[in-house]
Amino acid sequence: MKNTHMPTVRVLNIIEIISSSDDGINLTQLSLKTGINKGTIHPILKTLVEHNYINFDKSNNLYYLGISCSTLSRSFFEKTFWIKMINQEMQRIVNSCNEVCQMGILDRGEVLYIDKIQSDQAVQLVSNIGTRLPATLSALGKAMLCDLTDEQIEELYPNGFISLTPNSVSDIKKLREQFNQIIKKGYALDNREINEETICYAVSLRQRGKIIAAISVSIPYFRANEEKVKQVIDILIDAKQRIQNALDNLQDIKLTSSNS
């Protein structure tokens, strides 16, 4: 990447890895996951701890996200009107179908999950804001990738596609077939491609024709009967229209980076 400042990249990588570790992470694990040796990573961790961006639990030698990250995150959501507006629509979706609703953006070849409304079902999807997943496998990701050409897709995935289950898409031809269905039907499907116990439906969110994000509803496979699936699809498509009408009245939002 041009003009990339690698010391800054290292710091960001460390924070991202810690944020994705629900139970904390120790120095050895962090070094292995980031590819940064312990001698280099330790002073970075010490500085982040001093400024409260991460916490260090001496009793078990684990690092966690700190209050400064939480403050930044809260400030971002409070000041970003369009995210608050979409969050309200997501709450309506959950109230209607009682299944978890998530929002994601496209960050190169990955979906970054930036918001989530949980349902009150006893069995439901376990996921976190800040999670990243290959966009080719998730309904959110496919809803946002479908405008890209095969050449652009191959640039995002020079080493091919990752498979997580036997249902995962394996090549560009099959992915293009799914894209054609998304364009035809107006929604994307993850049919147990990430988790064999879960299916997911998603719609892209456009501002003046440009995809900026997507929202989804995930359903445990055993609950995904015909009536439930139709309800979820109808709710998503209705919400998409309301959200896009509101987005078109706002200034341009620059958040996705699918072509970066």
Side-chain angles (χ1 to χ4, degrees):
M1 291 182 284
K2 269 188 175 182
N3 303 319
T4 298
H5 187 244
M6 292 312 298
T8 304
V9 171
R10 283 197 289 268
V11 173
L12 295 174
N13 193 16
I14 289 166
I15 292 174
E16 288 176 355
I17 294 295
I18 293 174
S19 73
S20 66
S21 303
D22 295 339
D23 300 320
I25 188 169
N26 63 37
L27 179 60
T28 300
Q29 293 169 329
L30 198 50
S31 177
L32 288 172
K33 287 195 173 186
T34 59
I36 307 169
N37 66 60
K38 293 181 182 179
T40 300
I41 207 171
H42 189 263
I44 298 174
L45 293 172
K46 186 176 179 181
T47 301
L48 290 172
V49 169
E50 287 175 352
H51 290 269
N52 296 316
Y53 283 94
I54 63 174
N55 293 327
F56 179 59
D57 186 343
K58 293 182 180 178
S59 65
N60 54 21
N61 293 319
L62 293 178
Y63 292 92
Y64 304 84
L65 278 190
I67 189 65
S68 291
C69 283
S70 176
T71 301
L72 287 176
S73 175
R74 184 167 61 250
S75 176
F76 173 73
F77 277 88
E78 287 176 351
K79 294 177 180 178
T80 309
F81 169 79
W82 71 274
I83 290 181
K84 291 171 67 177
M85 178 269 294
I86 296 173
N87 179 272
Q88 291 171 356
E89 284 291 343
M90 292 169 65
Q91 187 64 66
R92 291 191 187 99
I93 289 170
V94 174
N95 291 344
S96 297
C97 68
N98 199 23
E99 301 290 351
V100 63
C101 183
Q102 299 184 102
M103 174 164 61
I105 62 171
L106 192 62
D107 186 13
R108 291 175 289 275
E110 295 179 318
V111 173
L112 171 62
Y113 290 77
I114 65 171
D115 200 6
K116 174 183 177 180
I117 304 293
Q118 195 64 277
S119 71
D120 60 10
Q121 296 276 15
V123 178
Q124 54 188 307
L125 177 72
V126 178
S127 61
N128 297 292
I129 295 173
T131 297
R132 292 174 178 269
L133 287 171
T136 55
L137 301 182
S138 72
L140 283 169
K142 287 185 280 190
M144 293 184 284
L145 288 173
C146 67
D147 278 0
L148 302 186
T149 65
D150 288 359
E151 291 73 20
Q152 288 172 314
I153 296 293
E154 288 169 352
E155 286 179 11
L156 287 175
Y157 305 97
N159 299 317
F161 302 149
I162 295 173
S163 293
L164 296 180
T165 77
N167 302 306
S168 298
V169 66
S170 57
D171 59 55
I172 189 69
K173 182 179 178 181
K174 292 181 180 178
L175 189 62
R176 181 55 60 188
E177 291 172 358
Q178 293 188 8
F179 288 168
N180 291 338
Q181 288 300 307
I182 294 168
I183 294 167
K184 178 181 178 181
K185 296 180 178 180
Y187 62 86
L189 168 65
D190 155 20
N191 188 6
R192 299 182 291 167
E193 295 174 57
I194 293 175
N195 182 332
E196 290 190 80
E197 304 301 323
T198 306
I199 66 172
C200 184
Y201 293 87
V203 292
S204 62
L205 301 177
R206 297 175 184 266
Q207 184 183 49
R208 289 182 281 280
K210 181 179 180 181
I211 295 174
I212 63 165
I215 55 173
S216 69
V217 171
S218 297
I219 316 169
Y221 186 65
F222 73 89
R223 277 206 300 267
N225 56 47
E226 185 176 346
E227 181 181 0
K228 168 69 80 170
V229 168
K230 183 179 186 306
Q231 178 194 31
V232 165
I233 292 171
D234 289 346
I235 290 169
L236 281 170
I237 291 175
D238 286 347
K240 171 188 172 82
Q241 190 59 57
R242 286 193 298 272
I243 292 169
Q244 291 185 161
N245 288 342
L247 289 174
D248 285 346
N249 292 319
L250 300 177
Q251 291 183 344
D252 286 353
I253 297 167
K254 297 179 180 179
L255 196 54
T256 58
S257 55
S258 59
N259 294 318
S260 59

